[in-house]
Amino acid sequence: MSSAGHCMIFAKSESQIIGFPSKAIVLMQMRFDGKLGFAGGIIEVEDESVEAGIGREMLEEMGIDPAVYPLSKGDHVSSQPFHCETLPQVKALHFYALEVTEAQIAEIENNARNAIHYGEEVLGWVRVPLYTMTDGYNGFPAFLDNNFVGNARDQLLEALIKTGIMTKEEIDSAVKVAKFSKN
Ligand code: GTP
Ligand code: MN
Ligand code: MN
Ligand code: MN
Ligand code: MN
Ligand code: MN
């Protein structure tokens, strides 16, 4: 039996992107399967804690040292049962959000291509556009129309609310204009 665990790395920020205020920098991964997801993976629950397993995956996929960026129970966002025919051994999904500084995000991005799984499981990292442009669709709503692995899209939305980066109302209005609106 095992579970899967993933983690959203983010930094609060005052920066602007092409003139739009962005309250945070949030990193997501382009996976080998063409879908967007978070750092993390399958945890061998007999051998490692959920936090340690996600830390190991963050090292493999992002090159970040779990001794420098330890995950704690306080970073936990949600857990849920998981059923998937191709991964029958995985019974649960755990999701965390780890806050770092803006300078640390830059350092993580600079170092990410040295990660052992870069160019294999991981094809790159992207910053999520968190603003909506004046046409009402481009920016965050358009980003939500990408293809996400598993329930990573829902995990992104819930973590943005839980970390105070966006309000429930801001999320709801972006989801409403997204073409592949699911909720
Ligand atoms: P391997 O080392 O190649 O086995 O991959 P991994 O351990 O890194 O596993 P992966 O990150 O692919 O996660 C395992 C499974 O969890 C995937 O097949 C997806 O179904 C699911 N998954 C992957 N990323 C995410 C994510 O960000 N959120 C959620 N909810 N599920 C994800
Ligand atoms: Mn992995
Ligand atoms: Mn992974
Ligand atoms: Mn793995
Ligand atoms: Mn792997
Ligand atoms: Mn593997």
Side-chain angles (χ1 to χ4, degrees):
M1 207 188 84
S2 56
S3 52
H6 293 88
C7 181
M8 180 180 96
I9 315 277
F10 73 100
K12 298 275 173 72
S13 169
E14 307 277 291
S15 63
Q16 295 213 336
I17 298 175
I18 58 158
F20 294 97
S22 185
K23 285 188 236 165
I25 300 168
V26 172
L27 295 182
M28 289 193 81
Q29 173 192 119
M30 176 50 69
R31 292 163 45 91
F32 63 92
D33 56 11
K35 296 176 181 176
L36 289 165
F38 294 100
I42 295 170
I43 295 157
E44 301 308 329
V45 289
E46 272 99 48
D47 307 336
E48 57 190 357
S49 69
V50 172
E51 289 87 9
I54 296 173
R56 175 184 52 70
E57 289 284 347
M58 292 198 307
L59 178 64
E60 293 170 357
E61 298 184 359
M62 296 188 101
I64 79 174
D65 182 353
V68 180
Y69 298 96
L71 264 192
S72 72
K73 298 247 183 277
D75 304 316
H76 180 254
V77 175
S78 65
S79 292
Q80 60 194 97
F82 182 71
H83 310 277
C84 173
E85 273 171 28
T86 54
L87 281 173
Q89 76 278 23
V90 176
K91 305 289 188 203
L93 284 181
H94 303 285
F95 187 57
Y96 286 67
L98 178 68
E99 182 167 5
V100 301
T101 67
E102 216 172 327
Q104 286 172 324
I105 287 275
E107 198 176 272
I108 288 167
E109 287 173 323
N110 283 338
N111 194 37
R113 63 159 290 113
N114 298 320
I116 47 178
H117 287 169
Y118 186 87
E120 300 279 340
E121 289 174 34
V122 181
L123 302 185
W125 294 92
V126 293
R127 295 183 177 200
V128 178
L130 294 171
Y131 45 84
T132 300
M133 295 176 68
T134 46
D135 68 346
Y137 174 72
N138 283 322
F140 187 55
F143 181 83
L144 293 178
D145 282 336
N146 280 294
N147 199 334
F148 294 84
V149 66
N151 67 341
R153 185 182 189 268
D154 288 334
Q155 288 174 330
L156 171 67
L157 298 178
E158 71 176 336
L160 290 175
I161 295 172
K162 196 152 182 184
T163 55
I165 295 170
M166 279 195 198
T167 64
K168 175 91 171 59
E169 291 67 36
E170 287 170 326
I171 294 285
D172 286 347
S173 52
V175 163
K176 250 185 237 142
V177 297
K179 288 176 188 153
F180 306 136
S181 181
K182 285 181 206 147
N183 34 355

